[in-house]
Amino acid sequence: MPRTRPRTDLRHVVVGCGGLGSAAAYWLSRSLGGRVLALERHALGHDHGASQDHSRIIRYAQHQDAYAALAREAYATWRDVERVSGQTLVTETGGLIIEDVEARQGLTTGGRDIAGYAAVADRHDVDFELLDARAVQRRWPQFRLAGTEEAMYQRRTGIVDAARATATHLALARGHGAEIREHSPVRALRPTAGHVEVVLDDEVIRAERVIVAADARTNEVLDGLAEIPLTVLQEQVTYYATPNLLDFSPARFPVFMWHGADNFYGFPVHGEVATKLGQHMGGHEVTADTRTYEPDPLRRKRQEEFLAEHVPGFLGPELYTKTCLYTIPPDQHYVIDTVPGEPRVAVGVGAGHAFKFASLIGRILAELATTGASRHPIGTFALDRPALTDPSWGRAFHV
């Protein structure tokens, strides 16, 4: 049995120090100072979850209103963190969304098409350009298009440096007096009349409030408090040592998303001296314990074939392929809420696409933990929404 060493000086505990947890630790400590403890199961900066690597896409262009409503504040929040840290975390490159209209004929897009992106952008006063295939190739001759594609360009799209952002949040949290403890897996949360007990292997910590940002291990930590229907997928990205560095520098080549028979996303040279491509979704279902670190050769081949056809100069010798985990609710929306019936415990799940909003989500989780509410529109991400409570949704996410 763990020995009990109450820590009455600690008001708030954060479980998980990845993208969301590190941000929550920072924003909590900014208001509460040293009364914050952040616990990480692994070493800080590990590659067992979803927050490692150099780059994530940040964008105003969204195909759903719930995310467009947060985008402007997300950019502002990152700029605030850059201001107080002196670190460059966001690099704006401009961004292209390209839809292979012919390949998607007969497919249900759910608004994830050029018309859907444009409609949401109009509602949220986001500037953009609509381009045909010829205009795309005229501006970015790196692309090879069939001529039937449609595209949308948004100039503020860019890259968030994920690993640097997480490390920056944690460093700032320490600077405000927070304690950051690695190699400290949380085995259970036990609410009592006056506090929440956070059970570790050799200690039970008494917390006034708890934020759970444990991603693929969320249900393990919440055991007995809540059961969220989550699917964990093993995804991967590949870095290519292109010889065409100037053509694919951030000043000359944008972040892009390709919506076709398969969906891909790509980055200019950033972080490594290499380009980066990933396929959105489609990985094998795993758990945090059964996942492997072995890339899927079929996905590697699919990516190479796509690039050879559409962006040949992007290719080069494979530098490496990295795997990561997506933890996805059935509707693919985030979870940002307090546990029904236990408001002292807040939960954040990123659904495999949250890093663009990571600092803002951490700020919102800190608001939930300190005031019980947020000024931001997060109703779509509630724990009591039908996708999480109606058994007819099932556990598998809906595409």
PDB file of all heavy atoms in Angstrom, residues 270-286:
ATOM      1  N   HIS A 270      11.700  22.019 -41.536  1.00  0.00           N
ATOM      2  CA  HIS A 270      11.561  22.659 -40.224  1.00  0.00           C
ATOM      3  C   HIS A 270      11.944  21.638 -39.160  1.00  0.00           C
ATOM      4  O   HIS A 270      11.494  20.500 -39.194  1.00  0.00           O
ATOM      5  CB  HIS A 270      10.127  23.125 -39.981  1.00  0.00           C
ATOM      6  CG  HIS A 270       9.903  23.759 -38.643  1.00  0.00           C
ATOM      7  ND1 HIS A 270      10.110  25.104 -38.421  1.00  0.00           N
ATOM      8  CD2 HIS A 270       9.499  23.246 -37.459  1.00  0.00           C
ATOM      9  CE1 HIS A 270       9.843  25.388 -37.154  1.00  0.00           C
ATOM     10  NE2 HIS A 270       9.464  24.277 -36.551  1.00  0.00           N
ATOM     11  N   GLY A 271      12.776  22.040 -38.221  1.00  0.00           N
ATOM     12  CA  GLY A 271      13.159  21.135 -37.132  1.00  0.00           C
ATOM     13  C   GLY A 271      14.285  20.211 -37.520  1.00  0.00           C
ATOM     14  O   GLY A 271      15.334  20.185 -36.884  1.00  0.00           O
ATOM     15  N   GLU A 272      14.096  19.449 -38.556  1.00  0.00           N
ATOM     16  CA  GLU A 272      15.144  18.645 -39.168  1.00  0.00           C
ATOM     17  C   GLU A 272      15.452  19.232 -40.545  1.00  0.00           C
ATOM     18  O   GLU A 272      14.637  19.958 -41.118  1.00  0.00           O
ATOM     19  CB  GLU A 272      14.683  17.185 -39.345  1.00  0.00           C
ATOM     20  CG  GLU A 272      14.302  16.472 -38.078  1.00  0.00           C
ATOM     21  CD  GLU A 272      15.505  16.042 -37.245  1.00  0.00           C
ATOM     22  OE1 GLU A 272      16.643  16.350 -37.650  1.00  0.00           O
ATOM     23  OE2 GLU A 272      15.298  15.415 -36.190  1.00  0.00           O
ATOM     24  N   VAL A 273      16.609  18.888 -41.093  1.00  0.00           N
ATOM     25  CA  VAL A 273      16.922  19.300 -42.459  1.00  0.00           C
ATOM     26  C   VAL A 273      16.247  18.287 -43.371  1.00  0.00           C
ATOM     27  O   VAL A 273      16.870  17.428 -44.006  1.00  0.00           O
ATOM     28  CB  VAL A 273      18.443  19.375 -42.690  1.00  0.00           C
ATOM     29  CG1 VAL A 273      18.734  19.889 -44.099  1.00  0.00           C
ATOM     30  CG2 VAL A 273      19.076  20.299 -41.663  1.00  0.00           C
ATOM     31  N   ALA A 274      14.930  18.378 -43.404  1.00  0.00           N
ATOM     32  CA  ALA A 274      14.116  17.410 -44.127  1.00  0.00           C
ATOM     33  C   ALA A 274      12.683  17.921 -44.178  1.00  0.00           C
ATOM     34  O   ALA A 274      12.251  18.705 -43.328  1.00  0.00           O
ATOM     35  CB  ALA A 274      14.156  16.045 -43.428  1.00  0.00           C
ATOM     36  N   THR A 275      11.936  17.465 -45.178  1.00  0.00           N
ATOM     37  CA  THR A 275      10.501  17.688 -45.241  1.00  0.00           C
ATOM     38  C   THR A 275       9.798  16.619 -44.412  1.00  0.00           C
ATOM     39  O   THR A 275      10.393  15.612 -44.032  1.00  0.00           O
ATOM     40  CB  THR A 275      10.025  17.622 -46.697  1.00  0.00           C
ATOM     41  OG1 THR A 275      10.497  16.398 -47.282  1.00  0.00           O
ATOM     42  CG2 THR A 275      10.527  18.806 -47.502  1.00  0.00           C
ATOM     43  N   LYS A 276       8.506  16.824 -44.150  1.00  0.00           N
ATOM     44  CA  LYS A 276       7.761  15.886 -43.303  1.00  0.00           C
ATOM     45  C   LYS A 276       6.369  15.682 -43.884  1.00  0.00           C
ATOM     46  O   LYS A 276       5.695  16.644 -44.255  1.00  0.00           O
ATOM     47  CB  LYS A 276       7.656  16.449 -41.885  1.00  0.00           C
ATOM     48  CG  LYS A 276       6.737  15.679 -40.937  1.00  0.00           C
ATOM     49  CD  LYS A 276       6.661  16.382 -39.588  1.00  0.00           C
ATOM     50  CE  LYS A 276       5.541  15.862 -38.715  1.00  0.00           C
ATOM     51  NZ  LYS A 276       5.446  16.578 -37.428  1.00  0.00           N
ATOM     52  N   LEU A 277       5.948  14.405 -43.940  1.00  0.00           N
ATOM     53  CA  LEU A 277       4.617  14.065 -44.424  1.00  0.00           C
ATOM     54  C   LEU A 277       3.987  13.026 -43.515  1.00  0.00           C
ATOM     55  O   LEU A 277       4.661  12.107 -43.029  1.00  0.00           O
ATOM     56  CB  LEU A 277       4.681  13.500 -45.846  1.00  0.00           C
ATOM     57  CG  LEU A 277       3.302  13.288 -46.502  1.00  0.00           C
ATOM     58  CD1 LEU A 277       2.758  14.597 -47.047  1.00  0.00           C
ATOM     59  CD2 LEU A 277       3.365  12.243 -47.614  1.00  0.00           C
ATOM     60  N   GLY A 278       2.683  13.165 -43.308  1.00  0.00           N
ATOM     61  CA  GLY A 278       1.914  12.172 -42.574  1.00  0.00           C
ATOM     62  C   GLY A 278       0.583  11.934 -43.245  1.00  0.00           C
ATOM     63  O   GLY A 278       0.114  12.777 -44.020  1.00  0.00           O
ATOM     64  N   GLN A 279      -0.012  10.794 -42.965  1.00  0.00           N
ATOM     65  CA  GLN A 279      -1.376  10.518 -43.398  1.00  0.00           C
ATOM     66  C   GLN A 279      -2.299  10.736 -42.218  1.00  0.00           C
ATOM     67  O   GLN A 279      -2.033  10.245 -41.111  1.00  0.00           O
ATOM     68  CB  GLN A 279      -1.522   9.083 -43.902  1.00  0.00           C
ATOM     69  CG  GLN A 279      -2.932   8.762 -44.379  1.00  0.00           C
ATOM     70  CD  GLN A 279      -3.093   7.326 -44.838  1.00  0.00           C
ATOM     71  OE1 GLN A 279      -2.115   6.616 -45.047  1.00  0.00           O
ATOM     72  NE2 GLN A 279      -4.338   6.898 -44.993  1.00  0.00           N
ATOM     73  N   HIS A 280      -3.382  11.472 -42.443  1.00  0.00           N
ATOM     74  CA  HIS A 280      -4.319  11.735 -41.362  1.00  0.00           C
ATOM     75  C   HIS A 280      -5.203  10.525 -41.132  1.00  0.00           C
ATOM     76  O   HIS A 280      -5.941  10.104 -42.020  1.00  0.00           O
ATOM     77  CB  HIS A 280      -5.173  12.960 -41.687  1.00  0.00           C
ATOM     78  CG  HIS A 280      -6.194  13.290 -40.640  1.00  0.00           C
ATOM     79  ND1 HIS A 280      -5.840  13.618 -39.350  1.00  0.00           N
ATOM     80  CD2 HIS A 280      -7.549  13.313 -40.683  1.00  0.00           C
ATOM     81  CE1 HIS A 280      -6.929  13.859 -38.647  1.00  0.00           C
ATOM     82  NE2 HIS A 280      -7.988  13.661 -39.422  1.00  0.00           N
ATOM     83  N   MET A 281      -5.112   9.949 -39.920  1.00  0.00           N
ATOM     84  CA  MET A 281      -5.921   8.799 -39.509  1.00  0.00           C
ATOM     85  C   MET A 281      -5.533   7.531 -40.290  1.00  0.00           C
ATOM     86  O   MET A 281      -4.668   7.552 -41.150  1.00  0.00           O
ATOM     87  CB  MET A 281      -7.414   9.070 -39.660  1.00  0.00           C
ATOM     88  CG  MET A 281      -7.891  10.288 -38.914  1.00  0.00           C
ATOM     89  SD  MET A 281      -7.843  10.048 -37.132  1.00  0.00           S
ATOM     90  CE  MET A 281      -9.481  10.543 -36.708  1.00  0.00           C
ATOM     91  N   GLY A 282      -6.187   6.450 -39.916  1.00  0.00           N
ATOM     92  CA  GLY A 282      -5.990   5.190 -40.622  1.00  0.00           C
ATOM     93  C   GLY A 282      -5.008   4.240 -39.971  1.00  0.00           C
ATOM     94  O   GLY A 282      -4.747   3.157 -40.509  1.00  0.00           O
ATOM     95  N   GLY A 283      -4.442   4.629 -38.811  1.00  0.00           N
ATOM     96  CA  GLY A 283      -3.500   3.749 -38.150  1.00  0.00           C
ATOM     97  C   GLY A 283      -4.188   2.588 -37.449  1.00  0.00           C
ATOM     98  O   GLY A 283      -5.418   2.544 -37.315  1.00  0.00           O
ATOM     99  N   HIS A 284      -3.391   1.639 -36.974  1.00  0.00           N
ATOM    100  CA  HIS A 284      -3.919   0.457 -36.294  1.00  0.00           C
ATOM    101  C   HIS A 284      -4.405   0.830 -34.891  1.00  0.00           C
ATOM    102  O   HIS A 284      -3.796   1.648 -34.198  1.00  0.00           O
ATOM    103  CB  HIS A 284      -2.839  -0.623 -36.178  1.00  0.00           C
ATOM    104  CG  HIS A 284      -2.321  -1.082 -37.506  1.00  0.00           C
ATOM    105  ND1 HIS A 284      -3.121  -1.675 -38.451  1.00  0.00           N
ATOM    106  CD2 HIS A 284      -1.079  -1.032 -38.046  1.00  0.00           C
ATOM    107  CE1 HIS A 284      -2.395  -1.986 -39.513  1.00  0.00           C
ATOM    108  NE2 HIS A 284      -1.157  -1.593 -39.297  1.00  0.00           N
ATOM    109  N   GLU A 285      -5.491   0.185 -34.452  1.00  0.00           N
ATOM    110  CA  GLU A 285      -5.988   0.407 -33.101  1.00  0.00           C
ATOM    111  C   GLU A 285      -5.086  -0.309 -32.107  1.00  0.00           C
ATOM    112  O   GLU A 285      -4.741  -1.485 -32.285  1.00  0.00           O
ATOM    113  CB  GLU A 285      -7.426  -0.079 -32.970  1.00  0.00           C
ATOM    114  CG  GLU A 285      -8.041   0.250 -31.619  1.00  0.00           C
ATOM    115  CD  GLU A 285      -9.522  -0.040 -31.536  1.00  0.00           C
ATOM    116  OE1 GLU A 285     -10.157  -0.272 -32.580  1.00  0.00           O
ATOM    117  OE2 GLU A 285     -10.050  -0.018 -30.400  1.00  0.00           O
ATOM    118  N   VAL A 286      -4.708   0.389 -31.050  1.00  0.00           N
ATOM    119  CA  VAL A 286      -3.784  -0.126 -30.036  1.00  0.00           C
ATOM    120  C   VAL A 286      -4.246   0.369 -28.669  1.00  0.00           C
ATOM    121  O   VAL A 286      -5.282   1.011 -28.533  1.00  0.00           O
ATOM    122  CB  VAL A 286      -2.329   0.346 -30.302  1.00  0.00           C
ATOM    123  CG1 VAL A 286      -1.791  -0.215 -31.605  1.00  0.00           C
ATOM    124  CG2 VAL A 286      -2.244   1.882 -30.302  1.00  0.00           C
TER     125      VAL A 286
END
